[in-house]
Amino acid sequence: MSVAALADLPPPGLPEIAFAGRSNAGKSSAINVLTDQKRLAFASKTPGRTQLLNFFELSERDEDKQTVARGTLVDLPGYGFAQAPLAQREQWDTLVGGYVAERQTLVGIVVVMDARRPLMPGDETLIDFVAQRQTSLHFLLTKSDQLNNTERKAALALAQQRAAPIGARATAQLFSALKRQGIDELAYILAGWLRS
Ligand code: GDP
């Protein structure tokens, strides 16, 4: 289901895991390879369009296809559009800020960042905001296929340095939707959040 206003949020139920990121960071691609769907997450890329929180049911299954953990994946609208009108940025702050601040069932947020440009100002604002709550944080450095080995190590070290002062609830990893790298690591982190 999709929600355009805080008043329309579904009643809190299963644990929720939110995905956030700058527009074009690779969030939709990450969600799609994680969930093995072709077009589960489709970003509306046009600045000015209604921003929505999209809710998807999520379950982790073992080798015997038995469900071992259930939750809800929440695809948050992207941020960081330089040309976005002020009204849209304010709507993002109200909707996403309100959701993150008040949702009791929100257990963790995956911050999707382009590994070539992690920790941009919009990311930092979100991270600072989330760090004030007890919510877990995972920095997903995607498009890692665009970096060489040295650059990959540097990007991961930077994200880990950012995570360290937040504590054990903040983690970081490299990811590539294109090369399908890092999917197991991401699934493992999220399953841990759902079980805790
Ligand atoms: P979103 O706006 O954050 O949902 O970003 P998308 O998932 O739509 O991706 C934005 C652009 O980055 C698209 O052109 C994707 O094809 C590309 N992209 C996404 N993930 C990867 C990746 O792992 N590697 C590479 N090289 N490109 C990617």
Side-chain angles (χ1 to χ4, degrees):
M1 68 173 293
S2 297
V3 161
L6 288 176
D8 300 328
L9 283 175
L14 293 172
E16 289 172 7
I17 291 171
F19 276 67
R22 296 172 61 81
S23 301
N24 267 327
K27 175 166 60 71
S28 309
S29 306
I31 292 173
N32 288 341
V33 300
L34 173 74
T35 56
D36 232 349
Q37 306 287 324
K38 293 244 152 42
R39 269 181 68 80
L40 183 65
F42 44 91
S44 66
K45 308 256 178 210
T46 329
R49 281 192 53 179
T50 310
Q51 300 186 320
L52 301 171
L53 307 181
N54 294 305
F55 290 74
F56 304 98
E57 276 183 25
L58 196 66
S59 57
E60 194 212 0
R61 300 205 178 90
D62 63 14
E63 302 89 61
D64 304 325
K65 305 272 182 225
Q66 298 297 313
T67 299
V68 289
R70 288 179 67 218
T72 303
L73 189 159
V74 185
D75 184 11
L76 302 177
Y79 49 83
F81 255 127
Q83 339 66 315
L86 182 63
Q88 189 184 23
R89 277 181 269 144
E90 284 176 347
Q91 193 211 350
W92 193 95
D93 287 350
T94 307
L95 189 62
V96 179
Y99 170 79
V100 170
E102 283 165 33
R103 192 69 165 170
Q104 297 295 332
T105 41
L106 176 63
V107 291
I109 301 190
V110 178
V111 182
V112 181
M113 297 180 282
D114 188 323
R116 295 168 294 186
R117 305 178 270 282
L119 303 167
M120 305 263 294
D123 303 320
E124 285 292 351
T125 307
L126 176 69
I127 294 164
D128 282 338
F129 190 65
V130 176
Q132 294 166 26
R133 314 188 7 145
Q134 284 313 301
T135 317
S136 294
L137 269 167
H138 189 56
F139 301 146
L140 192 73
L141 302 168
T142 192
K143 310 192 197 183
S144 67
D145 54 274
Q146 297 293 306
L147 302 181
N148 67 30
N149 250 334
T150 312
E151 293 166 331
R152 269 197 285 272
K153 277 191 194 139
L156 183 60
L158 192 71
Q160 284 170 335
Q161 272 169 29
R162 183 66 183 87
I166 301 171
R169 67 193 166 93
T171 45
Q173 74 162 101
L174 294 161
F175 187 87
S176 167
L178 187 72
K179 302 274 183 199
R180 303 185 69 87
Q181 282 163 354
I183 303 173
D184 289 350
E185 188 177 352
L186 176 59
Y188 179 82
I189 294 276
L190 302 191
W193 289 357
L194 291 183
R195 291 196 199 110
S196 59

